[in-house]
Amino acid sequence: MRSQKLYTSFGILIIFIAIFFLKQNFLGEKYQDEHHYLPTAVFFSKEPIPSLDLLKSYGELNTPVPFILGGWVVSVFGENIQCLRLLTFAVSFALLMIFVWGSPDHSKRFFLCLAGLMIFPNYYLCSVYYYTDIFAMIGVLAGVVAYIRKAHGWGMLFFIGAVASRQYMLAFPAAIVAYECLELLKKGFSVKQFFTGLLTDKTWLPYALAVLSIVPWVLLWKGPAPAAVMTMQYYDSDKLIQYNFGYVIYSSACLAVYYIIPEVLITRNLRYFIDFPKNHPRLFIGYIILIGALITLFPAKQAYNPYFTWPYLGYVDQLFMTIGITGFFKQIVFGLLMLITMMRFFSPYFNLTSCVVLINILLLGKAQLSWDKYSLPMIMVLWFLAMFDNHWLFTASNRKQDKLFYH
């Protein structure tokens, strides 16, 4: 397996070199968010170790690690978007190396899972432009690898770095905390035994601290991001108290399109979904009622405003609109995709991946706007965990129809 990983790494390197030349050495005009990300990196280049005043006043919604690193690059190579793109590209390559070398030594799903990550449309876009997503994702993936290998101190540090790159990355250490607590509850402990178990096995503690690493940023800004840029991007205090269930619907639909449907096509394990209503009738009826209420009362639609003028929720929404799936019929399709997601991850065999999905999609209900790429870190982790055994996907079941996918 080591030789397979080595050859895979070499193959990825060849692909990256080819992309570098196909993208004209990363020269060219700035692309979308690069128009304001480059000035922010220049802003950070003035202070290699940023002061509190700088951290309070920089004009982005994201936590600052990608801009701090970008500032270091600018201070060495000058105000050059090519160098910042090369920084992002290098981090993307390092992320794939973690994916490859952090995988189990023997997995029949290795290439399928690696391809599942790389073919996600936004993975390429976030790798060839100076975007912040890859910086957060590498911290998340490294944190997951550390958790699996029981290097929990490192896991905490990696997740803290991820949260310091994108606030909503706190969903991943939170999922680990939830999973560790769930494992104790499955043992049928009393309340006293449960808390005794938490004090005895403190695996959850480093990850709880990683979640709490968001607190200093919130205290610094007196909110989830610098106030001035929140106002500029129409994410003001009135919207902070709102929760957008439409974004929950859309993120669930994206998960079905980009992960579950490809998984089913590869494994041909459609029987699990066909048998779900029979095996779990109460859950199934409950999901139908919940989703029906959501798509009726809180339809998924984009936060179209003077700052964000793209009317679609994302690529999936754009595709549906292009082929004529519109109006309430589109909401029904979103609802069916959400149902697929709920059946796949929320059964009596609730486990780590269930925690990852649940916390991510609930947290995305508080996003500024909806976008396919916000589901990319979650899907990356799901493809990575899919290379491991039942413990990471479905708790072992005696039900033949609920066997782990890929087996």
Side-chain angles (χ1 to χ4, degrees):
M1 185 61 182
R2 186 176 179 85
S3 60
Q4 183 186 61
K5 292 181 178 180
L6 186 62
Y7 294 142
T8 302
S9 301
F10 183 72
I12 293 172
L13 178 61
I14 296 299
I15 292 172
F16 269 58
I17 292 172
I19 291 173
F20 173 75
F21 288 111
L22 289 172
K23 290 293 294 181
Q24 290 81 45
N25 303 350
F26 293 137
L27 297 170
E29 296 298 320
K30 293 188 288 292
Y31 178 78
Q32 294 185 0
D33 286 348
E34 287 184 329
H35 286 281
H36 55 92
Y37 282 170
L38 174 58
T40 303
V42 173
F43 186 58
F44 273 90
S45 69
K46 299 173 184 177
E47 298 182 21
I49 306 299
S51 65
L52 289 178
D53 287 339
L54 188 154
L55 292 174
K56 288 179 181 178
S57 59
Y58 73 98
E60 303 292 347
L61 286 175
N62 303 339
T63 35
V65 162
F67 307 117
I68 295 172
L69 297 176
W72 293 350
V73 169
V74 169
S75 66
V76 174
F77 298 102
E79 188 174 336
N80 187 334
I81 193 63
Q82 181 192 35
C83 294
L84 292 172
R85 288 171 176 172
L86 284 170
L87 168 67
T88 311
F89 204 52
V91 173
S92 176
F93 180 79
L95 183 151
L96 291 177
M97 292 302 98
I98 293 173
F99 196 98
V100 169
W101 292 93
S103 65
D105 289 336
H106 303 285
S107 174
K108 296 178 181 178
R109 315 160 208 145
F110 174 72
F111 290 110
L112 294 176
C113 294
L114 180 61
L117 170 61
M118 293 181 69
I119 65 174
F120 192 108
N122 289 107
Y123 187 84
Y124 171 79
L125 292 174
C126 292
S127 298
V128 298
Y129 298 110
Y130 177 51
Y131 271 34
T132 61
D133 306 79
I134 291 295
F135 297 91
M137 288 170 59
I138 193 172
V140 166
L141 184 59
V144 171
V145 172
Y147 171 67
I148 290 173
R149 296 187 175 183
K150 302 186 186 304
H152 302 305
W154 283 108
M156 176 185 70
L157 294 176
F158 289 136
F159 281 126
I160 288 173
V163 173
S165 301
R166 278 270 186 170
Q167 292 93 318
Y168 75 100
M169 296 302 106
L170 65 85
F172 296 95
I176 292 175
V177 173
Y179 173 70
E180 289 292 327
C181 293
L182 182 65
E183 287 299 285
L184 287 175
L185 291 172
K186 285 179 180 178
K187 296 177 180 178
F189 287 164
S190 65
V191 174
K192 181 179 179 180
Q193 289 173 321
F194 172 75
F195 284 105
T196 301
L198 288 179
L199 294 175
T200 302
D201 182 357
K202 297 180 182 179
T203 300
W204 59 273
L205 183 57
Y207 303 99
L209 294 175
V211 175
L212 292 174
S213 69
I214 192 65
V215 173
W217 298 113
V218 173
L219 294 177
L220 178 68
W221 298 322
K222 297 181 175 59
V229 72
M230 288 179 64
T231 300
M232 182 184 71
Q233 297 192 22
Y234 293 82
Y235 195 51
D236 52 30
S237 57
D238 290 338
K239 293 183 180 179
L240 287 178
I241 61 174
Q242 296 177 3
Y243 189 85
N244 196 323
F245 286 101
Y247 292 173
V248 173
I249 297 170
Y250 187 68
S251 62
S252 300
C254 285
L255 181 54
V257 170
Y258 291 116
Y259 179 79
I260 301 172
I261 292 176
E263 178 186 54
V264 172
L265 292 175
I266 292 167
T267 63
R268 300 178 182 178
N269 197 3
L270 188 60
R271 176 58 57 185
Y272 171 82
F273 296 95
I274 294 173
D275 290 345
F276 192 95
K278 179 179 66 177
N279 295 332
H280 313 293
R282 292 182 181 178
L283 271 180
F284 184 76
I285 293 171
Y287 292 159
I288 293 292
I289 294 172
L290 174 62
I291 292 170
L294 288 178
I295 64 173
T296 302
L297 300 175
F298 308 100
K301 57 183 179 179
Q302 188 57 282
Y304 188 88
N305 58 50
Y307 180 84
F308 187 81
T309 57
W310 205 61
Y312 305 109
L313 287 153
Y315 295 136
V316 173
D317 186 33
Q318 184 181 22
L319 173 63
F320 286 175
M321 298 285 280
T322 301
I323 63 178
I325 300 176
T326 60
F328 189 67
F329 180 60
K330 182 179 72 173
Q331 300 301 324
I332 293 174
V333 175
F334 283 158
L336 291 174
L337 292 170
M338 185 178 187
L339 178 62
I340 291 172
T341 295
M342 297 182 79
M343 288 192 293
R344 171 62 178 87
F345 290 104
F346 307 141
S347 73
Y349 316 111
F350 205 88
N351 60 11
L352 178 60
T353 54
S354 304
C355 294
V356 168
V357 170
L358 179 63
I359 295 177
N360 266 276
I361 63 175
L362 289 179
L363 193 59
L364 289 177
K366 286 297 297 177
Q368 174 205 17
L369 48 88
S370 188
W371 191 236
D372 296 30
K373 74 172 182 175
Y374 293 163
S375 298
L376 175 56
M378 169 176 54
I379 291 172
M380 172 191 69
V381 169
L382 293 177
W383 281 123
F384 183 75
L385 292 177
M387 292 186 288
F388 292 82
D389 61 19
N390 317 33
H391 182 66
W392 303 107
L393 291 176
F394 283 107
T395 301
S397 167
N398 292 325
R399 294 181 181 273
K400 184 177 180 181
Q401 62 274 12
D402 285 338
K403 283 184 177 179
L404 173 65
F405 283 14
Y406 297 106
H407 278 195

